Amino acid sequence: MNAQFKKGVLELIVLLIISKEDEYGYSLVKKISYKIIISEGTIYPILRRLVKENYLTTYNKESSEGPFRKYYKITEEGFDRLHNLRIEWKEFVQIINCFVEESNVIEQR
């Protein structure tokens, strides 16, 4: 997948996943990587920014597999941001689909 496509939607994907349940960074990378190839280094800057913008909060939780893990939890502002991103995404997809459909008509000629 084109790197710019991924970059543009990762904030939405991160918020979608964390809105279902609190996550730690590596678990997010694994969940996203099942469908999109990404590196760990891609997610952590997004998480830091989302915390800084008050869309996420963090807390530490003990792990049975080693040291404490930093978990991310969505805030009310984060749910608002997610709602707006979903609206923007739907509008964006509709616009792109219009161009794709118009292109298909031209190709059929």
Side-chain angles (χ1 to χ4, degrees):
M1 182 182 291
N2 181 297
Q4 292 301 314
F5 289 168
K6 286 192 279 189
K7 186 178 178 183
V9 299
L10 280 175
E11 178 181 342
L12 173 59
I13 291 169
V14 166
L15 288 172
L16 284 167
I17 293 171
I18 295 175
S19 72
K20 293 178 192 162
E21 72 178 308
D22 300 354
E23 295 285 347
Y24 60 97
Y26 184 68
S27 69
L28 272 170
V29 172
K30 284 178 22 179
K31 286 181 178 184
I32 296 169
S33 293
Y34 285 128
K35 299 188 182 195
I36 302 172
I37 298 171
I38 59 165
S39 68
E40 281 185 58
T42 306
I43 294 300
Y44 289 102
I46 293 169
L47 290 170
R48 280 191 297 275
R49 181 177 53 77
L50 291 173
V51 169
K52 185 178 180 182
E53 295 174 349
N54 297 315
Y55 298 137
L56 299 176
T57 60
T58 64
Y59 62 92
N60 292 325
K61 185 175 177 182
E62 202 169 323
S63 169
S64 61
E65 300 170 10
F68 286 93
R69 290 185 173 149
K70 181 189 273 189
Y71 277 78
Y72 295 86
K73 179 180 180 68
I74 193 166
T75 64
E76 285 303 316
E77 293 91 346
F79 279 112
D80 291 342
R81 175 72 176 148
L82 175 58
H83 175 76
N84 291 332
L85 285 173
R86 289 177 87 138
I87 291 170
E88 290 176 20
W89 176 253
K90 288 177 184 178
E91 291 172 356
F92 179 75
V93 168
Q94 287 176 341
I95 292 166
I96 298 303
N97 283 337
C98 286
F99 282 103
V100 169
E101 289 170 14
E102 288 173 9
S103 172
N104 287 340
V105 170
I106 293 169
E107 287 178 8
Q108 292 174 0
R109 288 183 186 170

